[in-house]
Amino acid sequence: MGSFFCWQKIDPSVNVQLLEYDKRFEQYGSDFTFYDYNKPEDLPGQLKHAFQVVVADPPYLVSYKICLSFNLNLC
């Protein structure tokens, strides 16, 4: 989560998208996309293969290695 805010402050022209399960972050409008790591390929089409850099921060996930391997396939 911290990376999201840092990138926005460093260079506002950089396209940053927050993929998050917690819908409290909907307050960020179009910068927020609901994301459930249990359904890693369930993304809007315009986000698939749309980014050059992906920062994954999966705190407290028991199966974080599985989660990351699924996420990397979407890049």
Side-chain angles (χ1 to χ4, degrees):
M1 176 59 78
S3 298
F4 172 75
F5 297 111
C6 286
W7 279 109
Q8 284 189 322
K9 289 180 183 180
I10 291 170
D11 187 350
S13 69
V14 173
N15 185 11
V16 178
Q17 186 68 33
L18 175 61
L19 303 176
E20 174 63 59
Y21 184 82
D22 188 342
K23 291 191 176 184
R24 291 179 292 176
F25 294 100
E26 286 179 320
Q27 65 181 326
Y28 295 104
S30 62
D31 291 336
F32 168 85
T33 298
F34 176 78
Y35 181 72
D36 182 352
Y37 78 91
N38 291 304
K39 300 175 185 175
E41 295 185 24
D42 191 15
L43 283 174
Q46 70 269 22
L47 293 181
K48 291 183 179 183
H49 309 285
F51 299 95
Q52 293 179 348
V53 176
V54 174
V55 178
D57 182 13
Y60 310 114
L61 294 177
V62 174
S63 59
Y64 74 94
K65 288 182 182 179
I66 294 169
C67 175
L68 288 177
S69 67
F70 283 129
N71 288 332
L72 293 175
N73 288 328
L74 297 175
C75 299

